[in-house]
């Protein structure tokens, strides 16, 4: 348990997003609360047209079971 001027976080995941023009998008979401830093989402996306997006990096699929499950499950 925290004492004095100390506090702990179970989950600290800031999200950094950057749009470069209309075709490039960068997203980085690190986990800063654990014993070691790791990235949950970190990807670069290129969309030459609205109907086509190319994504490279580490990311979860929007409808994957990991996305809809709670962290305690």
């Amino acid at each position: 348990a925290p004492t004095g001027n100390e506090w702990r976080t179970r989950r600290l995941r800031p999200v950094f997003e950057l749009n470069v023009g209309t075709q490039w998008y960068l997203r980085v979401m690190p986990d800063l609360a654990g014993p070691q830093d790791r990235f949950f989402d970190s990807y670069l996306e290129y969309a030459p047209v609205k109907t086509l997006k190319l994504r490279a990096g580490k990311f979860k699929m929007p409808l994957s079971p990991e996305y809809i499950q709670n962290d305690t499950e």
Side-chain angles (χ1 to χ4, degrees), residues 32-46:
L32 303 176
Q36 61 186 8
D37 295 338
R38 55 187 194 171
F39 291 96
F40 280 94
D41 281 339
S42 180
Y43 62 83
L44 179 66
E45 186 173 272
Y46 175 64

Side-chain angles (χ1 to χ4, degrees), residues 11-47:
R11 183 185 305 170
L12 178 59
R13 297 179 185 161
V15 177
F16 302 101
E17 298 177 329
L18 175 67
N19 286 320
V20 180
T22 58
Q23 296 180 337
W24 293 93
Y25 174 72
L26 173 71
R27 178 184 170 108
V28 178
M29 185 172 68
D31 181 12
L32 303 176
Q36 61 186 8
D37 295 338
R38 55 187 194 171
F39 291 96
F40 280 94
D41 281 339
S42 180
Y43 62 83
L44 179 66
E45 186 173 272
Y46 175 64

